[in-house]
Amino acid sequence: MERIKVLIVDDSRVSCAMLAGMMAKTNFEVCGMASNAADAVLKYQTLRPMAVTMDMNLPDVDGIECSRRIREIDPDARIVMISAMKDAGLIQRGREVGITSFLQKPVSPYELIDALSCMVSDDVKKNSGIRDLYIQSFAKVLRQSLFSLVGVHSEVETKRAETSFLDIASGIAVIIGLTGSPMGRAIVYMDQDTMYGMARAILMKNDDAPMTSEEAGDVIEEAANIIVGRCASVVNDLKDVDMRISPPGTIVGKNIRIANFKITSYFLEAQTRFGSVYMNVGFAEGE
Amino acid sequence: MDAKLVNPFIDALVAVMPQMGFDVPKRTKMSVKNQTCKSLGVSIIVGFTKGLRGNVVYNMSADAAKFVASKMMMGMPVAELDEMAQSALSEMSNMLTANAATNLAAMGYTVDISTPSLTVGQDFQIKISSENYLVVDMDLGGQIMELNIAVQV
């Protein structure tokens, strides 16, 4: 795998070490570190990194001015801003100088690698590698959401779908459209027992509490809406895109087959104590 | 929801279907529902967002679906709803909704549409809204296509 050179600009040695540590196990390689803007511009010129991580607070000028100077030398410079504060004003100023990616401290290894990977891909829409990354983010969101909704730990497995359809013997499927870029749809689905188990847990009811299938369906629909909404937010954070979600369409029944054509889709399976919660995410091909 | 919002969808059908060799579709029924929609056998759901958020479901019987698919594939006989026929139906719903989106834009609502999801089964229900939504039956030369349109306000 090709190593991708990254320049770290940060006046804190601890932050530099943390960022370098996160990249150590990936195909990103720290080619240099700069502790002030003047040094950063100089190192950018000599090292020509593929990407730059930029701290907001530098001793000479701020990270935005430093980014502006770097992009003066190289208008295609890819810079991810890492700051303690991430507010609309900062993002606005950052965008004006051409920064498209913003992260807030403390940065998780995951966010950092995602942001860098998204940036170094020239065309996010055509790059299936980036879509794989989206899916990894979705898997993480699914795991976290299940934990915050029902307090269960789950293992999420992902794999690329081989077929253009999914079959549900008996249960519920919540279809949520993804619009903007990339366009597609997400389907959260599970069998009936899992639906009841999860719905009771979300409403904090006993395992034997009475519940109609309509009530249970409504709870799962809202849960799916929350999960997919969070997934879209993550994608929007990673890359400066505007992915939106449509209201859910919920299908309940037996022996259902849902098919999508001209999309590349992925299966995610979260194993919980209620049963498996599945998510199928597909993006339109050839956009 | 506002009943005038069905017009862009009806107009789309009237504009697009004849281009694929159908007679001009006629509206035969229109009603307001607030119950879960029962699938007629084949249901294609397309979501939309931005200026308006909602879903449209193209709902039809297996026979109607075969009729539509056959017509779309230049009259090729469609004995069963195989992957090719399903793909044709998905494509149709995509074209119809994209056309409806253009019509909505002319009314001042910019919308983005999702990819279509086609669902087949003997017995299933679809919920696209917890509020009222509009149902329009369109006659496509003897076969009925039911449009279910839900828009969030």
Side-chain angles (χ1 to χ4, degrees):
Chain A
M1 210 165 15
E2 191 198 350
R3 308 283 289 171
I4 299 165
K5 292 195 295 179
V6 180
L7 172 68
I8 298 178
V9 183
D10 201 312
D11 64 340
S12 147
R13 286 175 60 187
V14 176
S15 287
C16 286
M18 282 168 70
L19 293 171
M22 290 176 197
M23 284 183 244
K25 288 175 188 160
T26 69
N27 60 327
F28 291 98
E29 180 183 10
V30 180
C31 65
M33 294 187 191
S35 58
N36 59 55
D39 192 24
V41 172
L42 197 69
K43 286 204 167 116
Y44 190 91
Q45 227 157 3
T46 48
L47 299 168
R48 287 284 162 172
M50 283 282 281
V52 179
T53 73
M54 179 68 64
D55 182 30
M56 186 57 195
N57 299 311
L58 298 173
D60 41 1
V61 295
D62 71 12
I64 288 179
E65 174 57 22
C66 179
S67 301
R68 195 190 60 74
R69 291 180 190 175
I70 287 177
R71 283 178 62 91
E72 231 170 47
I73 314 166
D74 176 8
D76 296 323
R78 302 173 177 99
I79 301 167
V80 53
M81 170 67 75
I82 301 174
S83 58
M85 285 282 293
K86 186 175 139 183
D87 59 61
L90 176 72
I91 292 175
Q92 174 68 30
R93 284 176 56 217
R95 283 195 179 148
E96 279 164 12
V97 301
I99 302 172
T100 53
S101 190
F102 299 84
L103 296 177
Q104 188 169 14
K105 290 181 181 179
V107 177
S108 75
Y110 205 85
E111 288 172 319
L112 177 71
I113 301 310
D114 274 0
L116 288 172
S117 305
C118 283
M119 271 199 318
V120 298
S121 147
D122 284 323
D123 188 343
V124 65
K125 288 174 219 159
K126 288 188 186 134
N127 190 317
S128 65
I130 291 305
R131 290 180 170 187
D132 286 337
L133 262 174
Y134 283 167
I135 297 306
Q136 293 312 317
S137 309
F138 280 33
K140 186 177 135 195
V141 173
L142 179 61
R143 196 165 52 234
Q144 287 175 343
S145 306
L146 288 173
F147 183 73
S148 50
L149 283 165
V150 286
V152 291
H153 285 285
S154 54
E155 278 306 312
V156 178
E157 281 179 32
T158 62
K159 66 171 198 276
R160 192 154 165 168
E162 311 261 310
T163 57
S164 58
F165 57 85
L166 54 102
D167 288 327
I168 300 160
S170 174
I172 183 167
V174 184
I175 303 176
I176 297 176
L178 307 173
T179 69
S181 177
M183 160 190 181
R185 59 100 190 94
I187 305 176
V188 176
Y189 60 107
M190 63 197 72
D191 66 27
Q192 219 147 31
D193 289 346
T194 311
M195 168 177 90
Y196 282 111
M198 236 183 91
R200 287 194 178 101
I202 290 173
L203 296 182
M204 291 187 266
K205 290 190 172 188
N206 292 333
D207 287 352
D208 52 359
M211 186 177 272
T212 66
S213 99
E214 201 180 5
E215 281 171 336
D218 283 352
V219 175
I220 299 304
E221 179 182 292
E222 185 51 27
N225 196 28
I226 291 169
I227 293 168
V228 179
R230 283 194 190 177
C231 287
S233 306
V234 167
V235 170
N236 289 341
D237 275 355
L238 285 180
K239 182 81 187 172
D240 191 16
V241 294
D242 187 18
M243 184 191 273
R244 295 182 190 216
I245 64 169
S246 76
T250 304
I251 292 177
V252 177
K254 292 194 172 90
N255 301 321
I256 313 160
R257 168 167 287 190
I258 304 175
N260 287 90
F261 302 92
K262 295 186 186 165
I263 68 168
T264 309
S265 76
Y266 300 79
F267 282 107
L268 282 71
E269 177 180 358
Q271 288 162 357
T272 73
R273 66 181 164 88
F274 311 109
S276 282
V277 175
Y278 301 92
M279 185 152 119
N280 180 282
V281 184
F283 299 116
E285 286 167 1
E287 266 211 313
Chain B
M1 66 175 271
D2 192 342
K4 77 170 191 286
L5 291 174
V6 295
N7 294 328
F9 294 90
I10 295 173
D11 293 347
L13 229 75
V14 170
V16 172
M17 298 311 273
Q19 291 172 26
M20 298 188 292
F22 290 84
D23 295 338
V24 176
K26 290 188 187 69
R27 193 178 90 184
T28 56
K29 220 166 84 184
M30 184 164 140
S31 56
V32 179
K33 277 196 195 173
N34 58 10
Q35 298 294 310
T36 302
C37 144
K38 192 168 163 33
S39 171
L40 300 171
V42 179
S43 305
I44 310 162
I45 180 166
V46 185
F48 47 90
T49 63
K50 228 172 189 174
L52 283 176
R53 297 185 76 233
N55 281 294
V56 54
V57 178
Y58 301 92
N59 193 8
M60 66 203 102
S61 68
D63 280 347
K66 287 178 205 164
F67 167 79
V68 171
S70 164
K71 201 94 171 175
M72 285 188 69
M73 298 190 289
M74 309 293 175
M76 210 167 89
V78 174
E80 75 180 295
L81 219 52
D82 56 12
E83 198 159 311
M84 201 162 138
Q86 291 181 8
S87 177
L89 291 165
S90 287
E91 191 54 39
M92 174 204 68
S93 60
N94 187 37
M95 282 191 273
L96 290 174
T97 317
N99 193 283
T102 310
N103 297 340
L104 282 165
M107 292 168 71
Y109 302 107
T110 313
V111 299
D112 280 348
I113 68 171
S114 77
T115 52
S117 296
L118 178 141
T119 309
V120 289
Q122 296 298 324
D123 178 24
F124 66 94
Q125 299 189 328
I126 310 165
K127 191 184 141 203
I128 49 169
S129 174
S130 38
E131 308 288 325
N132 287 345
Y133 64 95
L134 295 160
V135 186
V136 184
D137 280 6
M138 298 295 289
D139 184 339
L140 304 174
Q143 297 286 353
I144 298 294
M145 185 192 289
E146 183 190 277
L147 269 64
N148 296 263
I149 303 152
V151 174
Q152 282 187 350
V153 271

